[in-house]
Amino acid sequence: MRETAYAKLNLALHVRGREPDGYHRLETLFAFCEEGDGLSVDAADGLTLRVKGPFAAELGSGADNLVLSAARAMRHTCSVEAGAALLLDKRLPIASGIGGGSADAAAALRLLRRFWRLSITDAELHAIAAGLGADVPACVRSETVWGEGRGDRLSAAPRDLQSAAVLLVNPRVALPTPAVFRGWDGVDRGPLARGSARDALLAGRNDLEPPAIVLAPAVAEVLDSLGACPGAIAARMSGSGATCFALFDGEAARDVAAEQVSASHPDWWMLRTRLR
Ligand code: C5P
């Protein structure tokens, strides 16, 4: 049995305030790509995880891996006795603002619900997901949704950007999320535009871009490169970075942009995909 851990994008991410517990109050529009990490499962007595793929070396498969935390939480909540041998194909860069561990954990929850044939409610699943990380509930849904609170209060969003052509670019710099949030200047720049997804994207911003650029100046270079591509509707950083994305009017324009960017920066990681 298999699942995809769809790459997560924040089409816009407005930081509205800092809570006493150190977390930040957000307004965001989550969207998901057709591509992502791969997760598969086989029967086993205990819980095990192996990691393969282009970014496996940078990730541990140890007990702190969020996939195993997800499996343990689900086993505990649903009193499961069976085990699972999980195999993660790590294709997305680590600590890069596109879900990564959160999407992997969410894929594990979806996969194990099927594999162990659990009759768990959506509310129970949401509770397990929220306990694993602020982005995990959105990643469980893996469809375009508005996020509020820590990013875990979700509501349905318009699907007008479904199938839009996207190019993801990462300058191969890992950015730790807490450090980027700590660099936010504390200025509330206002709410998201709640029209279509396209409106929210065009009128929106990512308030974590400035602190991310302080930590990783290459992010500014990626944004400039993407923004200069013909046919780019918008170019923005996702989450706490360093991955940036651009949406295009069509796949042809996206593919020309991919050629252009990779010619000038052959070392940057890149993914051509579409929104799901
Ligand atoms: O919830 P998660 O473990 O994914 O969050 C990682 C880190 O990102 C948190 O420890 C916190 O520093 C930061 N964060 C935040 N505000 C949010 C979400 C995440 O400050 N709404």
Side-chain angles (χ1 to χ4, degrees):
M1 241 179 231
R2 295 172 180 284
E3 262 292 337
T4 301
Y6 303 103
K8 171 221 74 167
L9 295 180
N10 300 87
L11 295 184
L13 196 169
H14 295 198
V15 185
R16 304 297 311 277
R18 193 175 271 134
E19 300 292 349
D21 63 5
Y23 266 84
H24 293 77
R25 206 154 29 81
L26 309 177
E27 276 184 60
T28 186
L29 180 58
F30 290 106
F32 291 83
C33 302
E34 289 178 346
E35 317 286 327
D37 293 336
L39 188 66
S40 59
V41 64
D42 268 314
D45 289 335
L47 280 181
T48 61
L49 173 65
R50 280 196 308 126
V51 187
K52 65 167 189 174
F55 292 97
E58 293 167 43
L59 184 73
S61 59
D64 59 335
N65 189 296
L66 216 49
V67 168
L68 281 177
S69 306
R72 279 194 300 264
M74 196 149 209
R75 225 177 168 209
H76 176 76
T77 305
C78 303
S79 307
V80 175
E81 308 235 320
L86 293 153
L87 175 61
L88 177 64
D89 184 7
K90 195 71 205 165
R91 300 180 205 133
L92 303 175
I94 312 295
S96 72
I98 52 175
S102 302
D104 294 346
L109 296 179
R110 290 194 304 265
L111 180 64
L112 292 172
R113 176 166 62 172
R114 284 197 287 135
F115 185 66
W116 287 329
R117 298 168 195 261
L118 304 176
S119 52
I120 182 171
T121 64
D122 284 347
E124 286 170 319
L125 193 64
H126 185 281
I128 299 175
L132 293 166
D135 282 353
V136 183
C139 291
V140 167
R141 288 177 59 165
S142 283
E143 59 189 16
T144 307
V145 282
W146 305 111
E148 288 178 81
R150 292 176 168 200
D152 56 353
R153 276 198 357 245
L154 306 178
S155 52
R159 310 296 302 269
D160 54 284
L161 288 177
Q162 194 168 19
S163 303
V166 192
L167 180 64
L168 269 52
V169 177
N170 181 287
R172 294 191 190 270
V173 184
L175 273 180
T177 301
V180 177
F181 270 103
R182 268 198 306 275
W184 176 61
D185 63 4
V187 177
D188 175 7
R189 292 175 174 80
L192 279 184
R194 296 282 182 128
S196 64
R198 195 184 169 102
D199 290 343
L201 169 71
L202 293 180
R205 11 168 246 279
N206 182 342
D207 290 328
L208 295 180
E209 278 175 12
I213 288 168
V214 169
L215 297 171
V219 168
E221 223 185 310
V222 174
L223 287 170
D224 286 347
S225 301
L226 283 173
C229 290
I233 300 167
R236 186 157 293 150
M237 189 179 83
S238 180
S240 55
T243 306
C244 301
F245 63 91
L247 260 68
F248 291 88
D249 270 325
E251 292 183 39
R254 179 205 56 199
D255 291 345
V256 169
E259 298 298 329
Q260 190 177 313
V261 174
S262 73
S264 54
H265 293 91
D267 50 323
W268 286 354
W269 175 86
M270 201 175 290
L271 178 68
R272 301 174 193 202
T273 183
R274 302 193 310 170
L275 294 187
R276 66 192 301 272

